[in-house]
Amino acid sequence: MAFSRDPLDELVVPDGTEAQERDLVTDGDVLVGGRATIGFGVRGRNVLAGESAEFGGAIEADGDCRLDMWCDVAENVLVGQDAYIGERVHIGGRLKVAGDLDIGDDVEIEEGFEANGWIVIRNPMPTIVFLFVYLKHLLLIGEDDAAQRLISEIVDEDDDDDEPDAEPLVIPRNATVGDDAWRVSTPATIGDDCRLHGNVRAETIDVGADCNVFGSLRARGDVTVGEGTRIHGDVTTRDGDVVVERDARVLGDVSCADFELGPDAEVDGTIRADGEITMRTTERERE
């Protein structure tokens, strides 16, 4: 996994991510920026959340979980390895840690906690904030190799197995993610084979192949809908272009500058384009 800039400057939904009834489920790590609001619970490998992040459900981490100060989790926090809980964190359910627990001052856990390893109660440094500030500094001064090593340590890329690591789910600072809407002030990239609920609002939006998005897409800039993807809502841009790739379908209206429709793609509603409309054809149709 390589970053050329601050990893929290973009919403990244990796391949295969699903918004289930109550949880946002992914195979890889979950990185949540400070003051983000997640209406779901989250399930992933390692879960790292910045200061004042809020979760509307439970957290289930197969690996480590690190919650910086003033985070709020509505339900249980279940951790397969070690946990770091910053000061003034609130957990509405039970905290259960299979490994070591490092816990700060004034932490409220409504249903108690248990850990199989060492328990250290102290006033720890907000490491998530420190790590990302340090990472941003390294990138600004051009130390890309050092930044890559830091990211590798954060997301534990040096696993013993030979399987490639899954890309992390990244939710930017101040984002709002829930059943109704995914609102970010950054670009948004959604991978292949994802199933999401809610309207997506972002600077630009790139949706991969074979996804189902049960909501509309709205961006200031360009929007791309990948092959075989279904968008159950409108696709709108303020200043950008829209591309709907081969065999994709938009079950709503499209409004944009230039519009490009791939072979066998469909738009069920009205197309409003201030610029050009391009319809790509298959090789057979051109013959």
Side-chain angles (χ1 to χ4, degrees):
M1 171 184 156
F3 288 111
S4 60
R5 56 191 178 89
D6 187 337
L8 294 179
D9 280 347
E10 182 176 4
L11 171 67
V12 179
V13 182
D15 296 350
T17 300
E18 292 188 19
Q20 298 182 356
E21 183 177 354
R22 300 183 62 188
D23 296 321
L24 195 56
V25 181
T26 186
D27 292 332
D29 297 328
V30 179
L31 307 180
V32 179
R35 296 177 178 81
T37 301
I38 315 300
F40 305 98
V42 297
R43 289 159 53 190
R45 186 175 56 180
N46 300 308
V47 178
L48 295 84
E51 181 179 318
S52 300
E54 297 183 14
F55 297 83
I59 292 177
E60 295 184 31
D62 294 333
D64 295 343
C65 179
R66 301 184 183 186
L67 304 178
D68 248 324
M69 52 186 170
W70 292 303
C71 284
D72 191 303
V73 184
E75 299 178 14
N76 297 329
V77 176
L78 307 177
V79 184
Q81 295 181 16
D82 300 332
Y84 164 95
I85 309 297
E87 61 181 343
R88 297 182 177 87
V89 167
H90 170 260
I91 297 174
R94 185 171 184 81
L95 171 63
K96 188 172 182 179
V97 182
D100 298 336
L101 171 61
D102 189 345
I103 188 167
D105 294 337
D106 298 322
V107 173
E108 181 182 2
I109 305 170
E110 295 190 8
E111 298 182 12
F113 69 91
E114 62 180 278
N116 290 336
W118 291 97
I119 299 176
V120 179
I121 301 175
R122 60 190 176 92
N123 185 8
M125 183 179 182
T127 55
I128 304 304
V129 174
F130 169 77
L131 286 170
F132 285 119
V133 169
Y134 181 47
L135 172 64
K136 192 169 187 177
H137 173 71
L138 290 174
L139 294 173
L140 285 173
I141 65 175
E143 293 288 345
D144 292 347
D145 291 341
Q148 178 62 48
R149 288 195 297 271
L150 176 61
I151 284 294
S152 297
E153 292 175 5
I154 293 174
V155 300
D156 194 21
E157 287 190 340
D158 297 325
D159 290 338
D160 294 334
D161 57 52
D162 295 328
E163 295 182 5
D165 289 322
E167 185 178 15
L169 169 64
V170 180
I171 298 176
R173 302 175 185 86
N174 302 307
T176 301
V177 173
D179 259 339
D180 294 333
W182 296 53
R183 293 188 179 91
V184 299
S185 57
T186 67
T189 301
I190 299 171
D192 301 337
D193 299 305
C194 294
R195 183 180 179 88
L196 305 179
H197 295 267
N199 303 312
V200 180
R201 306 287 183 260
E203 185 68 25
T204 61
I205 302 173
D206 187 349
V207 183
D210 300 315
C211 295
N212 262 296
V213 179
F214 295 91
S216 61
L217 308 180
R218 181 181 297 172
R220 289 179 178 271
D222 297 341
V223 178
T224 301
V225 178
E227 292 188 11
T229 285
R230 300 292 181 265
I231 306 298
H232 300 259
D234 298 336
V235 176
T236 306
T237 75
R238 180 179 297 181
D239 303 311
D241 303 332
V242 171
V243 176
V244 179
E245 298 287 2
R246 176 189 298 272
D247 196 36
R249 185 175 181 183
V250 177
L251 287 82
D253 299 336
V254 173
S255 179
C256 58
D258 294 341
F259 177 69
E260 184 174 325
L261 188 70
D264 300 319
E266 298 179 18
V267 175
D268 286 4
T270 302
I271 299 173
R272 302 180 181 88
D274 295 333
E276 297 181 351
I277 297 178
T278 304
M279 306 287 186
R280 300 204 309 265
T281 58
T282 62
E283 293 287 342
R284 180 176 298 178
E285 290 172 332
R286 285 196 292 270
E287 291 173 358

